[in-house]
Amino acid sequence: PPPSPSRTTPHSAGSPSPTADLGVCLVTGGNGFLGAHVVRMLCGLDGVSSVHVVDLQPPRSALHPKATFTQASITDAAVLGELFARVKPASIFHLAALIDLRPEVGWGSPSAKLDAVNLAGTLRLLQLARAHGTRQLVYTSSIEVIPSPRARLSRYVLHTRPCPSLAT
């Protein structure tokens, strides 16, 4: 049956749907609340050949037959490098993030561990995506990019560098 109108994505007449060929998909943080929904949705799309979930936490329930799971952190360069070389993802959905909501620390407080996951881990994914010919990346970010009302914004301003393009 055709998809319901509320679930269709508008696109130009005569052009393929944006979901027509997502190919091999990699979902970081795929066992979290949002990630599990993204994995389930991707597994139901015809244009997705397989879904590879990377997360520190194991799945809460059985994965769809189209999906595989790798228990790893996005900070683990060796595991990510091997995974990219083996599966060559065409599409990446980057949902993995570390957040710290402890009131005693202060929401949005910077730390080396947060930076290692949220900044360096994301940069590593971008570099691997470029090196392995990934066509598209969806990045959801996290609440950690929003400073707490008690913090001075200057603590969160990073030294900016041009972001490497995924295009070769």
Side-chain angles (χ1 to χ4, degrees), residues 3-165:
S4 66
S6 64
R7 298 228 177 217
T8 58
T9 304
H11 60 279
S12 303
S15 68
S17 162
T19 60
D21 186 21
L22 292 174
V24 175
C25 295
L26 177 73
V27 182
T28 67
N31 291 330
F33 177 77
L34 180 58
H37 288 283
V38 170
V39 169
R40 192 173 312 116
M41 185 251 341
L42 289 171
C43 287
L45 295 177
D46 290 336
V48 173
S49 56
S50 60
V51 178
H52 299 273
V53 177
V54 175
D55 202 307
L56 285 173
Q57 301 302 317
R60 292 185 180 119
S61 59
L63 287 174
H64 187 279
K66 226 187 231 192
T68 62
F69 170 65
T70 300
Q71 189 165 11
S73 170
I74 62 168
T75 63
D76 191 330
V79 170
L80 284 182
E82 184 279 326
L83 183 64
F84 269 77
R86 183 169 42 85
V87 305
K88 298 185 181 1
S91 305
I92 298 172
F93 295 81
H94 179 31
L95 291 86
L98 183 62
I99 60 172
D100 191 348
L101 298 177
R102 295 174 296 167
E104 68 274 13
V105 173
W107 175 43
S109 296
S111 77
K113 193 167 187 177
L114 291 173
D115 288 350
V117 174
N118 299 341
L119 297 175
T122 299
L123 180 58
R124 181 172 293 109
L125 282 174
L126 289 169
Q127 292 165 337
L128 286 166
R130 186 176 190 189
H132 291 276
T134 299
R135 293 190 313 252
Q136 52 212 355
L137 182 138
V138 176
Y139 177 47
T140 62
S141 191
S142 80
I143 198 169
E144 282 297 325
V145 301
I146 303 168
S148 81
R150 298 179 303 222
R152 293 187 52 201
L153 185 58
S154 61
R155 287 179 37 187
Y156 298 90
V157 176
L158 303 174
H159 297 286
T160 58
R161 289 175 269 174
C163 183
S165 169

